[in-house]
Amino acid sequence: MKTIQLLKTAGSIVVVAFALNANAQTSASAPPAASESVGQHIDDGTITTKVKADLLAAKNVKSTHIHVKTRKGVVWLTGSVPSAEDKTAAEDVVQNVKGVESVKNQLKVGAD
């Protein structure tokens, strides 16, 4: 009985992670997910979610036009920010998220 509950819980986590990551997809030039394991995919979804939350919470970053995509711990930032300071601050926030291996900051300065 505990095995069934464990499998249901694990399945639910996978579904949520896939849903979060599908929502995070952008047109950034991140590598395809085909080579990822399910565990890595979940980790990347968790990182993406944490990065988005931290960007929204950051007082020094106007993050409403920032798109986040994560592959194997590498985070791509795309979209636009109003200033070079916001671009740098966004990268600083992302680098401090647990699990982030590196940041590819492709943010453009100026309005979308």
Side-chain angles (χ1 to χ4, degrees):
M1 194 63 161
K2 287 186 179 185
T3 303
I4 293 172
Q5 184 60 36
L6 177 64
L7 289 174
K8 286 182 180 178
T9 302
S12 296
I13 291 170
V14 169
V15 168
V16 169
F18 279 115
L20 289 172
N21 200 39
N23 188 38
Q25 298 296 315
T26 66
S27 61
S29 58
S35 63
E36 285 185 328
S37 68
V38 172
Q40 182 65 50
H41 192 76
I42 291 171
D43 291 344
D44 288 341
T46 301
I47 291 169
T48 297
T49 301
K50 180 69 172 139
V51 165
K52 287 180 173 185
D54 286 5
L55 285 171
L56 285 172
K59 301 274 188 232
N60 59 338
V61 179
K62 293 173 184 66
S63 62
T64 57
H65 291 96
I66 297 176
H67 306 282
V68 180
K69 189 171 189 175
T70 307
R71 288 284 178 259
K72 296 185 178 181
V74 178
V75 177
W76 277 262
L77 298 177
T78 59
S80 64
V81 290
S83 69
E85 292 79 17
D86 283 300
K87 180 176 179 175
T88 302
E91 185 169 343
D92 291 343
V93 167
V94 174
Q95 287 176 336
N96 289 316
V97 173
K98 182 180 177 186
V100 172
E101 299 292 328
S102 65
V103 180
K104 304 291 185 186
N105 191 343
Q106 300 173 343
L107 293 170
K108 292 182 174 37
V109 176
D112 246 351

